[in-house]
Amino acid sequence: MIDLTLLNKEQSKAVTHINGPVSVIAGAGSGKTKTLTYRIAYMITEGIDPQSIVAVTFTNKAAAEMKERVMNLVGEKGYLTQISTFHAFCSRFLRNEITNLNQGYTRRFLIIDEDDSKQIIRDTVKELNYDSNKYSSNRLKNLFSKIKNGQYDFLDFDETKIFNAYNQYLKDNNALDFDDLILKTIEVFNRCPEVKDYYNRQYEYILVDEFQDTNKTQYELLKLLIGSNNNIFVVGDPDQSIYSFRGAHYENQNRYMIEFSPKVYVLDQNYRSTTKILDAANRLISYNSGRTVEKNLTSNLGEGLNVVHQIRESDRDEAYFVTKAIEDLVFKGTDYNDIAVLYRANAISRVFEESFLKNNIPYVIYGGLSFFQRKEIKDILAYIRLCLNPMDNISLKRIINVPRRKIGQVTIQKLETYATIYNVSLFDAIDKVDLGKTVKQNLIDFKNLIINLTESLSKINHLPDVVDLVGKKSGYYDMLMSEGNESKDRLDNINELKAVFYQGTFDYQMPPLEALQLILDDLSLKTDVDFDNSANTVKLATIHQVKGLEFKVVFLVALEEGIFPSEQSFSEFDIEEERRVCYVAMTRAKERLIISHARTRFRYGEIRYNMPSRFITEMDILPDKPVTPVREQPLSPYDFLDNINQTEKEEIIPGDRVKHEKYGFGVVVGLDEDVIKIAFGMEFGIKMFTPGHPSIKKVKKDI
């Protein structure tokens, strides 16, 4: 049995409510994941078959954490539950069932990522002789995704031609993009009632994490998956629905309430933030009129420090303030890793990066270029994919001339033409296409390389050896080493890839080649938020990148009209989503929340004068007096934040004896509006502090 005493009253009610539809409205920091995982564990201890339980979420990281927690609660039985992302669930479903569509897809279909999709679109635009500037791959990929997810239903004539050609290319190459994984799963369920009935019996209990982030097609998938017993348990927070630009459908919560009439449990006990942070966040979100279920987050972590509100003169002055405040926090013992600087738009980061670089503050752009999006990693994986599936034209095109083999675009186009006419793969076309002697030999050499690699892969017993096998035999290692020190980091990245395959030997207890295919599937489904940014660095990030994370200290910057809320927010619906984004940012903070805005900001090549964001008024937080240091002090940076929050300042005059937490006893030898001068012992000498500094305590005369 699991220990239900570790849950609060509402969590316990939700966990033990097994049958029928349930909606858990889980506020920020309220133990959402704990409630979800305890419910899975509770069902298993109550005798429910773990293989009849499916839980879906949005990131591989979240799925892995849920799986680990369940296994910690119930042991090996937890391994039998299917806990994964929506896309991973659909990928594994289609590996077994896609042939039911009779559309030419095989179970060895390729999953293509965003970059591959954009490359196919670029190739398609070029083949159709369209203007690549007008029909950019970024815009079209985003548009096509919206079409597939039901967000948008109109394409002009030329866009329709590109869209149809793109989808036909995927089909001809036995490939699916991310959106197709869900669409094809829905199609199988709708076209094959016997398949649907089988899985409805197999999966009796469906659990959904972050329900507020589901889109229309995901909602349709869930309805098909649960069958007639309606044992669906959804957990989420409509107040944190911030992904409409990705297709998240805010109305899904209302639709679910109407169609399923679920039992509702509200988790409003926050275990992350202090009361003053939550009070400000509650005041802000109360301005949203379209909330499905209202809640008011409470905390048992104490009142905490006031929310700091700084008005700075310019964007550079704002960055200066944040920089000096971080220096002070770190001096007093806060790790860089516990600090985040959050903003609404990526472009805001520039001035903070400049300031951090100048002042030697280590930082990382959270959600930047991910490990698995690096060229060298994608190249090595493309070799492996081609060895496992010679029909994979996309992977072949990526690495046929990497390293260089004097196989150019003209040759590849001739291969593609032949393959299209005779309905064969590019790999098979190599032997048959009519080309010049030298080029033909280069192609044959490449094909033989892949054949030899495939044979060697079939003999692999230790999965990490796959990386070196490909790197050496393909000539990739030689290529990088010939580039000298410039490629050292790229070689290091490839070596790091071995760790992924090593972990796969534990995750998939099966023959190496079968495990290899599943590992490649998982890698294809990874997104930016799945990658670890654990180095001791300040995190600079857009708010969307850090949803689900928490930090001891959060700086929420550039709170100005036209930036936050965005100048693209035209309707009340847009403003309400922007307000939810701000609410998410505020509730990332555990101990300190510091908000700021600047009167002027350099944007789009000019100085702009900005009004403070309406959200500051709605938070009901008054501005603090701007704090500026008198001069740099190497051992004791001036404490902006504690000085701001200091409400009772003990009067200190020259001649008073004081005690400092680090320097010990001292005597006040000078005092003006900005500085207290204190003489300590020989070891430390004279130090200067801002008046009211919390580390200085006046000593009574009798001590």
Side-chain angles (χ1 to χ4, degrees):
M1 295 293 292
I2 62 171
D3 187 0
L4 296 179
T5 63
L6 299 175
L7 305 172
N8 65 35
K9 185 177 179 181
E10 285 301 298
Q11 288 173 335
S12 184
K13 287 180 181 179
V15 163
T16 55
H17 187 131
I18 300 302
N19 294 311
V22 176
S23 176
V24 177
I25 308 298
S30 64
K32 167 183 68 68
T33 304
K34 183 176 185 178
T35 303
L36 198 58
T37 52
Y38 263 73
R39 185 175 194 266
I40 296 171
Y42 179 78
M43 288 195 292
I44 292 172
T45 59
E46 289 295 298
I48 291 172
D49 181 359
Q51 295 184 83
S52 70
I53 301 170
V54 172
V56 287
T57 185
F58 284 87
T59 70
N60 292 284
K61 183 178 179 181
E65 181 187 351
M66 286 166 58
K67 191 88 163 184
E68 182 179 2
R69 288 199 192 189
V70 171
M71 291 182 68
N72 286 339
L73 289 169
V74 297
E76 289 300 314
K77 284 186 178 179
Y79 186 80
L80 299 175
T81 59
Q82 181 150 190
I83 302 175
S84 67
T85 64
F86 277 92
H87 293 101
F89 172 84
C90 292
S91 167
R92 289 170 191 178
F93 171 84
L94 291 172
R95 290 284 176 210
N96 293 320
E97 307 296 344
I98 196 168
T99 54
N100 286 293
L101 293 176
N102 296 317
Q103 294 175 352
Y105 294 103
T106 74
R107 292 174 180 175
R108 302 193 74 175
F109 60 83
L110 175 69
I111 303 169
I112 63 167
D113 63 16
E114 290 288 305
D115 285 348
D116 290 331
S117 290
K118 290 174 184 176
Q119 184 59 55
I120 295 167
I121 290 171
R122 284 192 289 270
D123 292 344
T124 303
V125 168
K126 186 176 180 180
E127 288 170 8
L128 292 171
N129 293 317
Y130 288 156
D131 183 350
S132 60
N133 291 318
K134 180 179 179 181
Y135 297 105
S136 76
S137 59
N138 284 336
R139 183 182 73 82
L140 288 177
K141 179 64 183 81
N142 184 52
L143 183 59
F144 294 172
S145 187
K146 286 183 176 181
I147 290 287
K148 291 186 176 186
N149 284 301
Q151 289 175 264
Y152 199 69
D153 57 7
F154 176 79
L155 295 173
D156 66 26
F157 179 79
D158 290 336
E159 289 168 344
T160 300
K161 284 189 70 175
I162 299 168
F163 181 64
N164 291 339
Y166 166 76
N167 287 319
Q168 188 62 48
Y169 184 90
L170 294 184
K171 184 177 180 181
D172 291 344
N173 286 277
N174 195 32
L176 303 176
D177 63 21
F178 272 27
D179 300 314
D180 290 332
L181 291 172
I182 293 177
L183 290 175
K184 293 299 180 185
T185 299
I186 291 173
E187 193 174 348
V188 170
F189 277 133
N190 283 329
R191 293 183 57 181
C192 308
E194 69 286 358
V195 174
K196 179 180 180 298
D197 290 344
Y198 172 82
Y199 283 95
N200 288 161
R201 292 192 302 271
Q202 171 69 27
Y203 300 133
E204 296 183 68
Y205 296 90
I206 310 300
L207 298 90
V208 188
D209 184 27
E210 303 284 12
F211 182 67
Q212 78 280 349
D213 293 336
T214 54
N215 61 29
K216 289 181 179 179
T217 56
Q218 287 160 345
Y219 187 88
E220 291 303 320
L221 172 65
L222 291 170
K223 287 186 67 176
L224 290 166
L225 193 57
I226 62 175
S228 58
N229 58 28
N230 283 355
N231 289 332
I232 180 169
F233 181 94
V234 307
V235 182
D237 183 6
D239 287 338
Q240 295 186 71
S241 178
I242 63 173
Y243 292 118
S244 64
F245 68 96
R246 292 184 188 168
H249 193 51
Y250 185 76
E251 288 301 311
N252 278 355
Q253 182 69 36
N254 282 331
R255 186 178 172 189
Y256 177 66
M257 299 294 285
I258 293 168
E259 294 181 358
F260 289 89
S261 301
K263 175 65 179 177
V264 178
Y265 298 98
V266 178
L267 307 184
D268 54 11
Q269 175 69 54
N270 178 282
Y271 296 95
R272 175 188 299 153
S273 308
T274 57
T275 296
K276 287 185 177 179
I277 293 171
L278 294 180
D279 285 349
N282 287 331
R283 289 192 293 268
L284 172 74
I285 201 63
S286 69
Y287 281 82
N288 272 11
S289 60
R291 301 169 77 193
T292 14
V293 177
E294 292 193 13
K295 63 182 182 308
N296 205 56
L297 293 178
T298 60
S299 172
N300 60 359
L301 299 176
E303 287 290 305
L305 296 164
N306 292 327
V307 176
V308 172
H309 172 201
Q310 279 279 295
I311 304 173
R312 308 307 292 187
E313 289 303 314
S314 67
D315 51 353
R316 289 187 176 277
D317 183 40
E318 183 183 37
Y320 172 77
F321 162 71
V322 172
T323 299
K324 293 303 174 184
I326 289 173
E327 286 179 347
D328 176 71
L329 288 163
V330 172
F331 175 78
K332 292 179 60 185
T334 301
D335 287 338
Y336 289 116
N337 205 39
D338 289 326
I339 302 171
V341 180
L342 307 183
Y343 36 80
R344 180 63 182 86
N346 277 308
I348 299 298
S349 73
R350 177 190 58 83
V351 68
F352 293 96
E353 289 191 71
E354 289 175 357
S355 183
F356 289 178
L357 286 168
K358 181 181 177 182
N359 291 276
N360 297 314
I361 290 179
Y363 72 91
V364 66
I365 303 293
Y366 192 86
L369 183 65
S370 74
F371 176 83
F372 293 99
Q373 293 301 314
R374 298 183 188 278
K375 181 182 184 304
E376 60 272 18
I377 299 303
K378 295 191 72 172
D379 287 346
I380 295 295
L381 294 177
Y383 270 104
I384 300 171
R385 286 194 174 99
L386 184 59
C387 289
L388 292 180
N389 180 15
M391 305 288 287
D392 181 357
N393 291 342
I394 295 169
S395 293
L396 181 145
K397 286 174 65 178
R398 181 178 185 90
I399 47 86
I400 193 169
N401 200 39
V402 181
R404 293 189 183 279
R405 301 183 177 90
K406 297 183 180 179
I407 301 172
Q409 283 302 311
V410 173
T411 301
I412 294 171
Q413 286 170 6
K414 289 180 179 178
L415 266 180
E416 288 189 299
T417 301
Y418 184 95
T420 301
I421 293 171
Y422 294 98
N423 194 27
V424 296
S425 68
L426 296 180
F427 192 79
D428 287 338
I430 287 174
D431 293 325
K432 299 162 184 157
V433 68
D434 186 19
L435 293 165
K437 184 178 179 181
T438 302
V439 174
K440 181 79 169 184
Q441 188 58 51
N442 291 339
L443 286 171
I444 295 295
D445 289 344
F446 171 76
K447 183 168 185 175
N448 287 335
L449 166 66
I450 299 302
I451 291 170
N452 291 333
L453 267 176
T454 303
E455 184 178 353
S456 298
L457 279 179
S458 68
K459 299 174 183 176
I460 284 285
N461 292 316
H462 188 51
L463 279 179
D465 292 345
V466 169
V467 178
D468 281 340
L469 176 69
V470 170
K472 290 174 182 176
K473 286 202 170 190
S474 67
Y476 207 93
Y477 281 179
D478 289 337
M479 176 189 74
L480 292 182
M481 286 187 283
S482 70
E483 295 172 2
N485 289 331
E486 292 181 3
S487 291
K488 183 181 182 300
D489 288 343
R490 296 175 68 191
L491 280 166
D492 289 342
N493 288 335
I494 293 173
N495 280 321
E496 188 64 24
L497 184 61
K498 295 176 186 176
V500 177
F501 291 98
Y502 177 75
Q503 183 60 42
T505 61
F506 298 97
D507 293 341
Y508 303 108
Q509 309 263 331
M510 57 184 65
L513 287 185
E514 293 180 33
L516 199 55
Q517 181 64 65
L518 290 176
I519 292 168
L520 292 175
D521 283 354
D522 286 344
L523 295 184
S524 296
L525 297 169
K526 283 189 179 291
T527 60
D528 286 347
V529 293
D530 294 312
F531 306 120
D532 185 22
N533 284 283
S534 58
N536 191 22
T537 53
V538 174
K539 303 299 183 285
L540 280 167
T542 62
I543 296 157
H544 288 90
Q545 289 286 356
V546 297
K547 184 174 176 293
L549 302 180
E550 58 185 38
F551 305 90
K552 285 184 180 179
V553 182
V554 167
F555 291 88
L556 179 53
V557 300
L559 269 166
E560 296 145 27
E561 289 291 313
I563 295 177
F564 202 5
S566 162
E567 61 190 352
Q568 301 300 316
S569 303
F570 302 114
S571 66
E572 185 58 32
F573 177 86
D574 295 334
I575 293 295
E576 293 211 349
E577 171 133 343
E578 290 287 291
R579 192 175 285 116
R580 293 194 294 270
V581 174
C582 190
Y583 176 80
V584 166
M586 298 174 73
T587 54
R588 299 311 93 199
K590 296 165 69 175
E591 298 175 6
R592 290 179 182 269
L593 175 61
I594 303 102
I595 65 173
S596 61
H597 62 93
R599 290 190 171 98
T600 64
R601 187 173 300 277
F602 191 82
R603 294 189 81 203
Y604 309 122
E606 62 183 18
I607 298 292
R608 296 195 173 189
Y609 295 85
N610 305 315
M611 293 293 292
S613 169
R614 70 192 73 183
F615 298 153
I616 297 174
T617 303
E618 294 169 359
M619 293 175 202
D620 193 20
I621 298 171
L622 296 175
D624 301 292
K625 178 183 176 182
V627 180
T628 306
V630 177
R631 61 175 65 86
E632 297 296 334
Q633 188 75 2
L635 288 176
S636 178
Y638 292 97
D639 191 336
F640 290 105
L641 305 177
D642 283 342
N643 188 47
I644 288 169
N645 282 291
Q646 194 78 11
T647 54
E648 296 181 9
K649 297 180 180 178
E650 193 172 19
E651 185 180 6
I652 294 176
I653 60 175
D656 280 346
R657 195 170 182 227
V658 297
K659 185 178 181 181
H660 186 274
E661 58 189 25
K662 179 174 180 179
Y663 306 129
F665 292 105
V667 176
V668 178
V669 295
L671 176 67
D672 59 35
E673 287 187 0
D674 297 311
V675 171
I676 300 173
K677 293 182 180 180
I678 301 174
F680 294 98
M682 294 256 323
E683 183 182 356
F684 299 109
I686 294 177
K687 302 292 180 185
M688 290 174 287
F689 301 88
T690 51
H693 197 290
S695 62
I696 302 167
K697 303 296 180 187
K698 186 173 179 178
V699 179
K700 294 180 181 179
K701 298 290 185 182
D702 58 348
I703 292 182

